[in-house]
């Protein structure tokens, strides 16, 4: 094949030059260009390669083609045919706009701008080339990815180190008051009034957590009281190790519930278990592999977070070992091909907590007297026991037994079941309760959020679980997401069929929701069909079918939080709903509501509802406000002939070890808290002593979410921690008011105590200073060596290496060193280049935790030339 006339007519360039090419994501590189009349023609293939813009050769092998700035916009440059395609439009490529070099195509800068949005600027004096881009470039995205990957690698390196030391383990107390949740609810309307009181108290008692609930009602001058949920639990050390299969983890005494399925009953008794208090998080390691284009970059994301990455091998194969946790796990594989194309593959797994890791055995045993009501007990003893075994990570079997008159006339009943995971994402659950009922359920949850759940139950006639004469029951629930007008929408259908000895009942409903602009719309239709057959009594009419249907439509509109919107209505949302009886063909009701945030922490709600059947309207007004220490809710409703008002106050009180009472607007019972005191340890004994200076600062971080409140007394109190959980705390050096302060231990772990606060004291010390010299031995004469690189490394820590340079006289110094052990040595590459040896080769030293800071001097190195 011969060249076209345009290709044959090319002239030789006036000259060529090596320019310094600068771009933020690239840094600096060198680029060879050729000149025609002082216009730089740039190498097409090299520029695209530098910027990671995907391309491939044309069919004749002389040109390049690809898609940019998106996969639908094709471009092509073919000097052999003299053609160029720009945004899908084909043009002639003039001969004076390109130059065919020996290794690349040199192209006029106008085409870089028109095709790729790349605008180059040449500085002839500095021989430099700068670039501004109209579109996001693959190299920019690549730099972001690499930054995330470096952060991931650093995080993984931190985890590979030995765990942060446990400085504050479980500290059992004989008695330690802790938390009180309260709810006061006053109701008034139509001449009647009452006050409801709900108190939930928790504390530590005899090394275990003790809690109970009090409920009271004051009406017409009388107080009606009841107590429930009063129980004491002692958690053994194995209960804090969810990844271990301990022999026994806890003992509970008091008002507890048996751990049956639908057959759970309340008892006053004792229970033991080997289930951990901290839920198991990790179940299995799931292998994800596949094939893609060779040399592609492949990322693994779990829950939208990057957890691993690799490069596909020469045949395009990749493999990840992904940790599978309980709950819903969303996995995504993101592939960046060498051509710049991005491919995403998604999977979704749902792992219920009914599964056990392979080889694990768990059990529960309870015994005591059944509670027939809140204030009365049965006379007979009852018992329950169950056991579960993980055959594989995808199959768990269980069995149990109930014994007692409260369970039925047979006194003793068995329970059997299994949970299976099929093809990773399909779940099957079977529960067999002989002489009571048999139930099977299956579900699947796809990556596009489509979910399907089905359940079938066969009842045993006349059993205690079948008081209404039900024979069997089946239900199906399916959700299908899709997009309308580019917005997320969904369609749900639910159906239920119940069979009785005298007929059947069918319930079904459909639900559609979507978003159009700032309007969220929902349409729901539900219906019931009941069929009763003649049983021969003559009371029921033969083949009587009753149908009930209801249509509901609702719309919600939210105003923008925009400066152009008046501040008093900014963010306000309006909601309207209409209900219609499709069977009787008549409206049921309609209502309207508006809600607006007030004073940042409050919300005002107003609404009106009209009962179309009773021809009765009702006005509603509500105001909710969250103070830091409590929450108040006011509700008022009025119709034509009646009204009602309600005032509720809810909150919680916690007591820390210093006696400080900490109010909160969220429940604290069953949870934990920490009072952190940072101080300068003047006498270096690691204990806060009277007269030592506290440092009031939010200068700690936790590895899990929590609320932090810095008190006026300088103590940092952390609330809403999970009891018995192990937390990792890290001192944030940058948040300390004095940059020269540092802790002896920067990162450590502690156990959150149940139903109470614990104290954590963190002593701070002045950071250390080191200084020394690097000397060179010139035939017995020592001279200081300037410009030598020294490497400073902290042992047993994730801190990055610190590079130092000696001054002209050979001296060096470093300040701000945290307490710990260090290693210092000269750069071996420089030593090799100079042909010298260092004495000593490595200097190890320790910065001690001292109130006035540690100071080390004479950390000297002597360099000697090697003998030839």
């Amino acid at each position: 094949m011969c060249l076209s006339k345009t290709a044959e007519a090319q002239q030789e360039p006036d000259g060529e030059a090596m320019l310094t090419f600068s771009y933020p994501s690239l840094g600096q590189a060198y680029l060879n260009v050729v000149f025609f009349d002082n216009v730089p023609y740039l190498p097409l293939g090299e520029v695209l390669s530098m910027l990671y813009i995907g391309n491939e050769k044309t069919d004749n092998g002389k040109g390049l083609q690809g898609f940019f700035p998106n996969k639908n916009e094709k471009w092509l440059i073919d000097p052999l045919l003299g053609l160029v395609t720009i945004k899908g439009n084909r043009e002639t490529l003039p001969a004076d706009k390109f130059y065919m070099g020996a290794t690349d195509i040199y192209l006029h800068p106008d085409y870089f701008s028109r095709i790729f949005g790349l605008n180059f600027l040449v500085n002839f004096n500095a021989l430099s080339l700068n670039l501004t881009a109209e579109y996001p470039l693959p190299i920019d995205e690549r730099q972001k990815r690499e930054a995330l990957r470096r952060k991931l690698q650093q995080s993984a390196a931190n985890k590979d180190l030995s765990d942060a030391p446990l400085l504050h383990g479980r500290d059992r107390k004989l008695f330690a008051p802790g938390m009180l949740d309260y709810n006061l609810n006053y109701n008034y309307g139509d001449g009647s009034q009452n006050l409801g009181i709900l108190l939930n108290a928790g504390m530590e008692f005899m090394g275990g957590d003790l809690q109970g609930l009090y409920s009271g009602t004051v009406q017409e001058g009388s107080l009606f009281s009841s107590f429930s949920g009063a129980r004491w639990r002692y958690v053994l050390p194995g209960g804090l190790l969810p990844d271990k299969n301990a022999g026994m983890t806890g003992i509970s005494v008091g008002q507890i519930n048996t751990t049956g399925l639908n057959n759970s009953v309340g008892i006053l008794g004792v229970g033991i278990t080997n289930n951990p208090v901290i839920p198991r998080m990790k179940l299995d390691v799931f292998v994800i592999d596949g094939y893609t284009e060779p040399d592609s970059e492949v990322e693994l994301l779990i829950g939208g977070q990057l957890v691993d990455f690799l490069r596909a091998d020469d045949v395009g194969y990749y493999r990840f070992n992904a940790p599978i946790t309980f709950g819903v796990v969303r996995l995504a594989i993101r592939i960046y091909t060498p051509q710049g194309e991005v491919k995403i593959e998604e999977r979704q797994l749902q792992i219920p907590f009914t599964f056990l890791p392979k080889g694990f055995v768990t059990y529960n045993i309870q015994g005591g007297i059944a509670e027939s009501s809140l204030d009365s007990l049965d006379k007979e003893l009852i018992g329950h026991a169950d056991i579960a075994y993980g055959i594989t990570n995808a199959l768990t079997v269980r069995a149990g037994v109930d014994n007692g008159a409260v369970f039925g006339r047979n006194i003793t009943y068995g329970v059997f079941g299994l949970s299976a995971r099929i093809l990773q994402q399909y779940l099957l659950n079977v529960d067999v309760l002989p002489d009571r009922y048999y139930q099977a359920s299956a579900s699947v949850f796809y990556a596009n959020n489509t979910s399907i759940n089905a359940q079938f139950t066969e009842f045993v006639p006349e059993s205690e679980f079948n008081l209404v004469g039900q024979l069997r029951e089946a239900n199906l629930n399916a959700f299908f997401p899709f997009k309308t007008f580019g917005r997320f929408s969904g369609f749900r259908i639910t159906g239920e069929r119940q069979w009785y000895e005298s007929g059947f009942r069918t319930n079904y409903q459909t639900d559609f929701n979507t978003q159009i602009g700032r309007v969220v719309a929902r349409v729901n239709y539900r219906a019931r069909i009941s069929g009763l057959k003649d049983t021969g009594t003559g009371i029921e009419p033969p083949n009587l079918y009753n149908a009930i249907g209801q249509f509901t439509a609702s719309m919600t509109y939210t105003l923008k939080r925009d400066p152009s919107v008046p501040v008093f209505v900014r963010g306000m949302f309006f909601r309207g709903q209409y209900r219609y009886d499709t069977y009787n063909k008549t409206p049921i009701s309609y209502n309207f509501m508006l809600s607006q945030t007030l004073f940042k922490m409050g919300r005002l709600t107003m609404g009106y509802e009209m009962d179309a059947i009773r021809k009765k309207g009702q006005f509603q007004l509500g105001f909710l406000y969250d103070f830091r220490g409590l929450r108040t809710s006011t509700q008022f409703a009025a119709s034509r002939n009646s009204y009602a008002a309600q005032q509720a106050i809810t909150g919680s009180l916690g007591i820390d070890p210093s006696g400080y009472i900490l109010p909160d607007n969220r429940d604290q019972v069953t949870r934990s808290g920490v009072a952190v005191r940072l101080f300068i340890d003047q006498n270096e004994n690691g204990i806060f002593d009277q007269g030592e200076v506290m440092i009031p600062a939010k200068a700690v971080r936790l590895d899990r979410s929590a609320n932090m409140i810095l008190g006026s007394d300088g103590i940092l109190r952390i609330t809403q921690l999970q009891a018995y959980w192990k937390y990792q705390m890290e001192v944030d050096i940058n948040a300390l008011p004095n940059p020269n302060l540092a802790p002896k231990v920067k990162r450590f772990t502690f156990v959150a105590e149940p139903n109470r606060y614990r104290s954590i004291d963190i002593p701070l010390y002045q950071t250390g200073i080191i200084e020394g010299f690097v000397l060179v031995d010139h035939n017995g004469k020592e001279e200081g060596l300037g410009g030598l690189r020294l490497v400073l490394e902290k042992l047993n820590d994730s801190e990055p290496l610190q590079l130092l340079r000696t001054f002209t006289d050979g001296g060096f110094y470093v300040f701000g060193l945290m307490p710990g052990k260090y290693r210092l040595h000269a750069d071996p590459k420089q030593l090799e280049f100079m042909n010298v040896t260092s004495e000593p080769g490595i200097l190890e030293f320790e910065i001690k935790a001292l109130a006035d800071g540690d100071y080390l001097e004479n950390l000297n190195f002597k360099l000697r030339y090697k003998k030839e």
Side-chain angles (χ1 to χ4, degrees), residues 632-687:
T632 175
S633 173
T634 305
Q635 302 288 333
F636 176 78
S639 58
R640 185 164 45 194
N641 300 318
S642 64
Y643 68 92
Q646 181 187 64
Q647 175 63 51
I649 298 176
T650 60
S652 180
L653 300 174
I655 305 175
D656 76 0
S658 66
Y660 184 90
I661 297 179
L662 185 70
D664 202 325
N665 59 17
R666 299 172 62 186
D667 291 346
Q668 297 188 82
V669 175
T670 73
R671 296 184 180 270
S672 179
V674 175
V676 180
R677 180 167 50 191
L678 297 107
F679 67 97
I680 299 177
D681 188 12
Q682 294 290 348
N683 57 7
E684 302 164 11
N685 64 353
I687 301 173

Side-chain angles (χ1 to χ4, degrees), residues 601 626-631 650-652 663-667 707:
M601 301 300 292
D626 276 337
F627 295 94
R628 194 179 76 174
L630 59 86
R631 174 179 298 174
T650 60
S652 180
D664 202 325
N665 59 17
R666 299 172 62 186
D667 291 346
N707 294 335

